[in-house]
Each structure stands twice: as structure tokens, then as C-alpha cells.
Amino acid sequence: MKRWQNLMERLMLPSIPEYAQKSFNESYLRADRVILVLMLLQWLTATLITSLAYDTYGYGFVAGGLITLTLFGAYRLFAGTKMMRVLAGIAMMLFSLVFIQQHLGRIEMHFHVFIALAILSLYKELAPLLAAAATTIIHHVLFNYLQLYEVSLFGMPVMIFNYGCGFDIVVLHAIFVLVETAVIGYIIRLQMEYAIELNRSEKKILGLNEVLSHSATHDTLTGLPNRDYLHAKLDWTLSHAKRYRQKFALLFLDLDHFKNINDTLGHDVGDALLIQVASRLQALIRENDIVARIGGDEFIIVITDLHGIQTLEAVMQKILEAFRQEWRVEVHSLRLSISIGSAIYPDDARNLGELMKFADIAMYRAKAQGRDQFCFFTTSLNAQIHHEMEIANTMHKAMEDREFVLHFQPKVALRSGVIIGGEALIRWNHPQRGVIYPGEFIRIAENTGFILILGAWVIDETVAALGRLAALGYEDIHISCNISMRQFRHKHLVVQIEEALKRYRVRPQTLAIEITESVMMEQMEVTLELLRRIKSSGVHVCMDDFGTGYSSLSYLRQLPIDSLKIDKSFVDDIKETGDNSRLLLNTILVMGRTLGLHVVAEGVEREAQRAYLEAMECDYYQGFLCSRAVAESEFTALLAANRSIS
Ligand code: C2E
Ligand code: MG
Ligand code: MG
């Protein structure tokens, strides 16, 4: 049974799989046309020429023309269909009949049958072949009948030439035709298998191509479009927006402090989080908009067909809120936020390069303003960025040209009025612009990393000043210098301080460093370790701008610090009347005293403030009331005057 099935299977032609159907359909159509051309040729060559040569053969030309033109007509109706193929098979065979009538002889006719069958293999299908075989067998039987019984129509014999062949010849002919059909059927089978195989390989290659082109245009981690794809898509978006006078927005997104997650929880958690970020972003935008990942934690969203700034604002707000929701990765529950900058075509820029740059600038502004927010690009923002870039670019040169100087603001003991030291504050003596204050360049230096060079110089210069003061006899004077975030985290800070102290032979106890509350509060573990090392070298530590951060009492107790510097805003609260506004200040003063820390008030401008602070037993103050920050020579003059009074 099984063998029988196998045999049948081998005899049957293969069925055409779905993916090859299209190419088969195309080849059917092509073969239809080839057959039509061949029919036309054989009509013109075999029947036209003979009919010209022998005037009795005109009817062959007419009959051949009838068959050929009928097939042309059929083509108009059935091109590419099975019906057309069957008709083509019949037509080819009817031509053999025309040949016989033209007295071309039986042998020629047999040749024609065989060649016609072979030609029909073009179709890679059995139907036309079978139709042809059937036609030729049937018309032989019919011929024989007509000849044998001399059938006549309208008094004329239907067969003009009588070969008088017997049925034995008909049977023999049928056997020939069947064998020929079997041979050509086999050829058709081979052709079909070959064509199917070809299609299979093509399909495989196409599939591979698709995979390849997907991975070339998509990010492997998140599956989002990558930079290349984004650029291609943006080109299209731009020309579309231009043509239909539409607006679109480009959003630049950057995760806040993503590096911390990678550093503390590992890259696997970071990667898993990025995948979630990608899908959360994708869920937030419309189908026609684009989200692409263009860097580690950087994404771009394109909002097409933008109708108003409110829509854009709503989208960005939605993104921020979605990010504030909890993130769960493995066992971790994480908090995450994102900063977004946006630029709009054509309002902000008309080319993609600028649009990207402006959205990036706006994103940086969102970061600088405290992260977890969005920021629109504006022209004033652009001017500001240019200004900042200019500052960033000229700072190195300014350092070489010794344009930076330290000024010193006296620190006064409230009760006695004695200047016990000062704070070193940096100034930039710009050759064109005059004095530039640190508020304008410290943050930029921090962003570019130049702060490490600048900060090292400040430490060195402060300690050198301490050395000079000691040489003048002011050995007990304290000077503090400000340490920025990046500098504080830098591994060489302690070594830098110790080396400077050694070089200028300065007692560590006379140097203090000021670190702002917010810097200290970040990564408490690291802060504690660093502060302990600085303290062990004998240098004093002061918490600057106290009250502006969020340090809790329990943290404050753990920190190895010597003094608190109350932020100016609390001192400003000391008004002539009303106690309410002083509540915070009073609390801070009590807190400092309870923790055994010295308390310094900064920004004291009026006598009333000074008097109040003295009454509240604050230890020291700084402020314009005593003096602004002044050059070193003026500072020593102030010291000298102060000493001579007290
Ligand atoms: P800060 O450390 O809190 O310094 C106090 C700021 O308040 C100084 O501004 C000082 O001139 C100003 N000030 C002092 N008394 C008064 C007053 O009575 N009224 C008013 N309105 N202001 C007063 P300055 O020098 O412009 O410095 C600003 C900030 O720049 C500093 O704040 C500090 O954070 C940073 N900075 C200054 N020098 C350096 C430095 O060498 N390195 C680092 N990393 N940062 C520095
Ligand atoms: Mg300070
Ligand atoms: Mg301060």
C-alpha cells in the first residue's frame, strides 16, 4: 500500500506552494504569448508559403488562420488561465490536422505533433499536454472514420486526400502520442521541481534580507529604530511637512542618572530597564509618530502633523508622568525620570541638523534646571548656549594667561567682631569684559570638566595665600575654599590638598573646604568616606548653603563636619518686624548648636541682621556689612585694621 502511494507520489507532478504561485502565474502568461507567436509563425510559414506555391492549398491557409486567430481571441479572454492553456494544447494539435490536409504527409505531421507536445512543456503543466494528446488521438480516430466511410458534406467528400490508413495505424499513433506525453510529462515534472526550488531559495534569501535590513535599521536591545532609520524617516517627514505645510516636533529625551542604575545594579538590570523604557515610550505615542534609540539612554521622538504647542506640551507631560510611575526590574523597584527638549519644524529650524541640535540644547537646559522636566527650544536659549560655549572655549586660555584670581571675603566672629579668617572666591579678570563672577562660569566649568583644573588651582592658590598670611604673622587665620561636585568626587582631591599643604608648609587646621549641602547628600556612603579622609588630614569641613538641600537630622549627625554655613536666603528673612519668617533660621541655629557645630551666617548686609544673629548666639558671619570679597592685599589691610581695633 505504502509502496503504491510512493509510486503514485513519484508519478504525480509536485503541487505548487503558495510562495511559488506568483512566479508560476507569470510564466503561464509568458508561455501564452510565446505560443501565440509560434502559432502565427507556423501559420505564415507552413500554410501561407505552400498556399502560394500550390493554388490548391489555399484552404490550409484559411483553416490555419482560423485556428490561430481564434487562439488570439481566446488570449484576450483567458490569458494566464488554465482554459487558455488547454485551448493552446488543442490549437497546436489542430494544426497537425491542417498539415495533413495540406498534403504535407503523415511523417511531417508526426513531427509536428511531437514538437508541439515538446513546446507545450513551456507551460510547466500537464493540462495542455493532455488536452493536446487527447485532441490528436481523437482527430486520428475521426479522420479514419471519415476516410474509411467516405463521409461527404453537401455532396463533397469531407476528406480530400484519402490515405486509407487502417485502425492499426491509428492505435500505433495513439501509442506514440502517449509515450511522447509521458516523456514530456517527465520533463515538465523536472521543470516544475526546478522552478519551485528556485522560488524556495529566493524566498529564503528575501527572508534573510529582511532580517538583515531590520537589524541594520533597528537597535538590537530594544528593537526600536536606530539612528540610521531615524534619519531616513526624518528626511521623509521633512519633505512631507514641507509639501503639505505641516509642523512636526522633534523631542530629544535623556534618562536622568541612568548611569547610577548601571553602576549600582549592573548592566543586566540597566538593559532590562531600557527595554521597558522603549515599550513605555512606544505606548505613549501615535502610530505615525516615531520613537528611536540613538544612544545608551538617549531617545528621539518625532511628533508628526503637529497642530499646536498645547498638544506638544500634553505629550511631553504625559511622558514625564509615565516615567514617574514605578519601574519593576527583576526584584528591584526603581524610580526613574527623564529630561526632554523639543524643537519644532519650521518654527525653530528648517533643516534636520539644526532641529536635532536645538532639541538637544533644550534637553540640556531641562537637565540644568533640575531634570525630570521638559524644555522648549527658544532663540534666547540659543544665544545663551552660544555664550556658554564661548566661555567654555576661552577658559583654558584664561588659565594660561593668569586671568583668574582669588578674592577673599572676611569671616567675622559675631560676639567679638574679630576677623577670624575668610572665604576664597574666584574671579575672572577678563581682558574685554572686566570682572566675571563665578555664577557665570563655575557651572560651565563643571559641565565641561574644566573645573578639575580650575579647582586644583583654587586649592593651590588658597594654601599659598595661607602661607603668605602666616609669613605676615597671621598664623591663626582660617581660609576656606569652595569645592564643586565633580571636584569632590575626584579621587585626587585629598592628595591634592595634602600636597599643597606640604609644599607651602601650611598647618592643615587653617584650611577649610566648603561643600554644599546638596553635593554632600548625594551618595552618602561615598561622602562619608571622603569626608573622613579629609578630616583625618586635619583640614576643616564646612557645609555650604545649608538649608537649601534636604538633609535630615540623622544624616547630619553622621557627617564628620565642623561647621554649617546658613544660606543667605534665611538671613534675608531677618526683617525688622515679625518673628514668623525667622522661625527657620532659629531652628537651624538651634540644630547647629545641638550638634556641636560652628554656625556661620552668610550674606549679612544690615546691622539689624548682625545684631539679631548675635543675640541668637550664631558664631560667625560673612557679608557686605563687613566687606565684599576683596583682593589679597586689601584683605591683609582689612586684617591689619581689624587687629589694631580689637
Ligand atoms: P558661596 O560659596 O555660597 O559664596 C557666597 C556668595 O555670596 C559669593 O558670591 C559672595 O560674594 C556672595 N556674598 C557674600 N556676602 C554677600 C552679601 O552680603 N550680599 C550678597 N548679595 N552676596 C554676598 P560669588 O563670589 O559670586 O560666588 C558665588 C558662588 O560661586 C559661591 O557661592 C560658590 O558656590 C561658587 N564659587 C565661588 N568661588 C568658587 C571656587 O573657587 N570654586 C568653586 N567650586 N566654586 C566657587
Ligand atoms: Mg562658599
Ligand atoms: Mg554659600
Side-chain angles (χ1 to χ4, degrees):
M1 189 66 195
K2 192 119 195 227
R3 281 177 71 178
W4 178 243
Q5 236 175 7
N6 274 351
L7 186 70
M8 280 306 286
E9 244 165 56
R10 293 188 66 175
L11 283 178
M12 299 279 282
L13 291 181
S15 57
I16 303 166
E18 180 88 26
Y19 56 80
Q21 197 65 58
K22 191 164 160 261
S23 100
F24 268 78
N25 288 343
E26 281 164 10
S27 81
Y28 292 150
L29 261 175
R30 224 175 13 246
D32 281 349
R33 282 182 223 124
V34 171
I35 295 282
L36 285 182
V37 172
L38 288 177
M39 288 292 287
L40 201 63
L41 276 176
Q42 64 183 358
W43 176 38
L44 297 177
T45 52
T47 66
L48 179 64
I49 295 169
T50 45
S51 66
L52 290 176
Y54 311 96
D55 55 338
T56 48
Y57 292 163
Y59 66 89
F61 175 65
V62 175
L66 263 173
I67 299 168
T68 307
L69 295 177
T70 308
L71 199 63
F72 267 86
Y75 177 77
R76 301 202 60 159
L77 291 175
F78 307 118
T81 64
K82 200 175 214 104
M83 173 63 97
M84 179 67 196
R85 299 193 281 281
V86 169
L87 289 177
I90 295 170
M92 281 297 245
M93 288 306 128
L94 289 183
F95 234 94
S96 314
L97 182 140
V98 173
F99 286 157
I100 269 214
Q101 290 288 50
Q102 282 207 301
H103 213 179
L104 280 178
R106 190 163 272 130
I107 300 297
E108 288 88 337
M109 191 206 80
H110 272 297
F111 266 126
H112 184 263
V113 168
F114 186 63
I115 290 168
L117 288 177
I119 288 172
L120 286 171
S121 73
L122 254 181
Y123 277 121
K124 297 194 202 97
E125 193 182 63
L126 218 46
L129 196 70
L130 293 177
T135 308
T136 192
I137 291 169
I138 290 167
H139 87 57
H140 267 81
V141 174
L142 195 69
F143 263 39
N144 215 55
Y145 171 79
L146 295 175
Q147 287 173 346
L148 217 58
Y149 299 99
E150 294 176 11
V151 178
S152 56
L153 258 178
F154 312 117
M156 290 261 291
V158 177
M159 296 304 294
I160 297 166
F161 307 104
N162 194 337
Y163 292 95
C165 86
F167 269 104
D168 50 343
I169 299 292
V170 174
V171 171
L172 218 61
H173 181 89
I175 292 172
F176 286 164
V177 169
L178 287 176
V179 172
E180 285 161 9
T181 304
V183 170
I184 292 166
Y186 181 68
I187 294 174
I188 288 179
R189 183 200 164 103
L190 292 183
Q191 285 198 14
M192 282 183 81
E193 280 173 355
Y194 176 69
I196 289 169
E197 182 53 38
L198 214 65
N199 273 283
R200 199 196 339 265
S201 319
E202 197 177 338
K203 183 180 165 232
K204 228 194 254 167
I205 291 168
L206 279 179
L208 275 176
N209 259 346
E210 218 165 90
V211 170
L212 278 178
S213 82
H214 185 88
S215 65
T217 53
H218 288 73
D219 164 40
T220 40
L221 178 68
T222 61
L224 287 183
N226 63 16
R227 199 182 271 271
D228 288 346
Y229 181 90
L230 177 76
H231 280 290
K233 198 83 184 175
L234 271 176
D235 281 335
W236 185 87
T237 308
L238 184 80
S239 55
H240 186 84
K242 220 180 246 173
R243 182 170 324 141
Y244 297 101
R245 294 175 183 279
Q246 288 175 345
K247 291 185 176 194
F248 70 90
L250 196 139
L251 313 188
F252 209 110
L253 303 96
D254 190 296
L255 300 181
D256 299 330
H257 302 302
F258 181 69
K259 193 174 170 297
N260 288 353
I261 292 177
N262 263 340
D263 289 351
T264 51
L265 299 174
H267 284 262
D268 286 346
V269 173
D271 283 354
L273 188 61
L274 282 173
I275 293 170
Q276 287 190 31
V277 165
S279 68
R280 223 178 256 198
L281 282 176
Q282 221 154 12
L284 285 170
I285 60 157
R286 293 172 308 176
E287 209 181 317
N288 285 343
D289 298 341
I290 312 162
V291 197
R293 179 171 175 230
I294 57 156
D297 61 348
E298 290 175 339
F299 299 85
I300 278 190
I301 290 183
V302 183
I303 312 256
T304 50
D305 193 14
L306 185 70
H307 284 299
I309 207 96
Q310 286 89 354
T311 327
L312 181 58
E313 215 173 312
V315 172
M316 294 198 282
Q317 198 60 49
K318 217 166 64 177
I319 296 174
L320 291 180
E321 260 148 41
F323 270 76
R324 290 180 196 134
Q325 309 297 316
E326 189 196 26
W327 297 85
R328 289 209 68 90
V329 181
E330 293 162 17
V331 291
H332 312 282
S333 158
L334 305 172
R335 297 262 142 224
L336 193 62
S337 66
I338 194 159
S339 301
I340 314 173
S342 76
I344 299 170
Y345 170 89
D347 304 1
D348 296 328
R350 285 173 178 275
N351 71 62
L352 291 177
E354 284 209 319
L355 218 54
M356 290 265 224
K357 194 176 88 189
F358 291 168
D360 194 15
I361 285 175
M363 191 278 292
Y364 267 97
R365 185 46 39 132
K367 290 248 181 218
Q369 283 170 353
R371 300 180 161 89
D372 189 19
Q373 54 190 287
F374 60 79
C375 179
F376 290 103
F377 175 80
T378 58
T379 37
S380 68
L381 185 60
N382 197 27
Q384 205 175 331
I385 297 289
H386 271 115
H387 172 68
E388 288 183 4
M389 266 163 64
E390 200 182 301
I391 288 194
N393 290 337
T394 48
M395 263 191 293
H396 283 272
K397 178 100 181 15
M399 187 91 210
E400 280 169 22
D401 295 350
R402 298 169 177 273
E403 287 170 17
F404 292 106
V405 286
L406 286 187
H407 279 194
F408 300 89
Q409 183 179 42
K411 194 185 282 177
V412 188
L414 266 158
R415 196 155 330 135
S416 61
V418 171
I419 298 178
I420 58 113
E423 177 179 6
L425 294 160
I426 195 165
R427 305 288 179 253
W428 179 354
N429 286 326
H430 197 280
Q432 278 91 41
R433 295 183 44 204
V435 178
I436 304 179
Y437 287 86
E440 211 176 306
F441 61 86
I442 287 291
R443 187 181 51 79
I444 302 170
E446 176 91 17
N447 285 342
T448 60
F450 182 68
I451 194 74
L452 295 177
I453 298 173
L454 196 66
W457 176 83
V458 169
I459 291 171
D460 194 79
E461 192 57 23
T462 306
V463 179
L466 274 170
R468 288 190 290 269
L469 285 169
L472 290 174
Y474 300 112
E475 278 164 347
D476 53 345
I477 287 292
H478 294 68
I479 302 283
S480 59
C481 67
N482 295 285
I483 302 289
S484 83
M485 168 81 144
R486 211 148 156 179
Q487 221 184 330
F488 183 51
R489 296 272 175 250
H490 196 258
K491 51 183 187 294
H492 291 321
L493 178 70
V494 185
V495 179
Q496 255 170 27
I497 294 173
E498 284 171 348
E499 278 179 359
L501 290 169
K502 226 181 272 166
R503 195 171 330 130
Y504 298 104
R505 299 211 184 107
V506 167
R507 282 193 302 128
Q509 289 74 14
T510 57
L511 177 69
I513 58 166
E514 292 189 14
I515 299 161
T516 62
E517 183 182 11
S518 47
V519 169
M520 277 201 200
M521 284 308 140
E522 228 170 77
Q523 300 184 8
M524 273 298 281
E525 292 302 308
V526 187
T527 299
L528 275 174
E529 173 58 29
L530 265 167
L531 289 184
R532 278 193 201 114
R533 284 180 57 201
I534 293 169
K535 282 281 293 173
S536 69
S537 70
V539 172
H540 282 247
V541 178
C542 172
M543 186 190 266
D544 204 354
D545 300 347
F546 183 73
T548 56
Y550 302 94
S551 40
S552 70
L553 200 59
S554 63
Y555 273 155
L556 212 54
R557 234 186 24 214
Q558 288 178 47
L559 285 173
I561 55 176
D562 302 278
S563 52
L564 286 182
K565 202 179 236 188
I566 305 175
D567 190 67
K568 180 173 180 297
S569 56
F570 299 99
V571 177
D572 289 344
D573 284 342
I574 308 174
K575 306 263 160 47
E576 264 61 41
T577 54
D579 274 335
N580 252 0
S581 54
R582 303 172 185 172
L583 207 65
L584 279 172
L585 174 72
N586 296 349
T587 316
I588 293 172
L589 285 168
V590 172
M591 212 158 91
R593 210 175 310 133
T594 318
L595 292 170
L597 302 172
H598 289 293
V599 181
V600 187
E602 73 180 342
V604 178
E605 295 176 348
R606 283 170 289 115
E607 172 52 30
Q609 292 169 330
R610 194 207 63 80
Y612 182 79
L613 288 163
E614 188 188 348
M616 290 305 290
E617 295 180 32
C618 179
D619 302 298
Y620 309 103
Y621 83 90
Q622 269 176 254
F624 293 172
L625 181 67
C626 169
S627 166
R628 290 172 181 266
V630 291
E632 194 177 326
S633 56
E634 272 181 73
F635 183 67
T636 39
L638 276 174
L639 278 179
N642 183 263
R643 292 291 146 106
S644 66
I645 296 167
S646 47

